[in-house]
Structure formats: structure tokens, C-alpha cells
Amino acid sequence: MMRIRLLRRYDADAFPFGRLKEEYGICALRGARGVPGRLSHVLQPHCKFNQCAV
């Protein structure tokens, strides 16, 4: 079984779905399994103690 935990919550206007779709090619929000590399690099500075995988 895979366990995931929330590392950070973002404001609703920080990453609106339109921006995720246009800039990063995300077509659906299904979970934390697949994060495009470009988006991962944008999120990396916000991760506490660099716990986010790139």
C-alpha cells in the first residue's frame, strides 16, 4: 500500500486549473502520482526540507 501525506497547501489562486492546463499540460487532477517535471521544479522551493521528489 502506498501512503501519501500532505506537505503543503497552496492558495486557490496560486495554481488555478487554467494555468496548470496551459503552462504545464495537466488535463486532469487525479492525485499526487504524476507531476510534470517543469511543475515539479516550480513547486520544489516551497517543499519543506526538500521532501518533494523531482
Side-chain angles (χ1 to χ4, degrees), residues 34-47:
V35 176
R38 286 184 16 218
L39 179 57
S40 178
H41 288 288
V42 171
L43 297 174
Q44 189 70 27
H46 301 283
C47 293

Side-chain angles (χ1 to χ4, degrees), residues 5-33:
R5 66 186 161 107
L6 179 66
L7 295 177
R8 177 161 168 87
R9 279 191 196 270
Y10 296 91
D11 292 333
D13 60 341
F15 294 98
F17 186 71
R19 178 179 175 199
L20 294 174
K21 185 175 181 178
E22 291 173 16
E23 293 183 31
Y24 303 105
I26 294 177
C27 298
L29 300 176
R30 296 178 57 155
R33 288 193 214 193

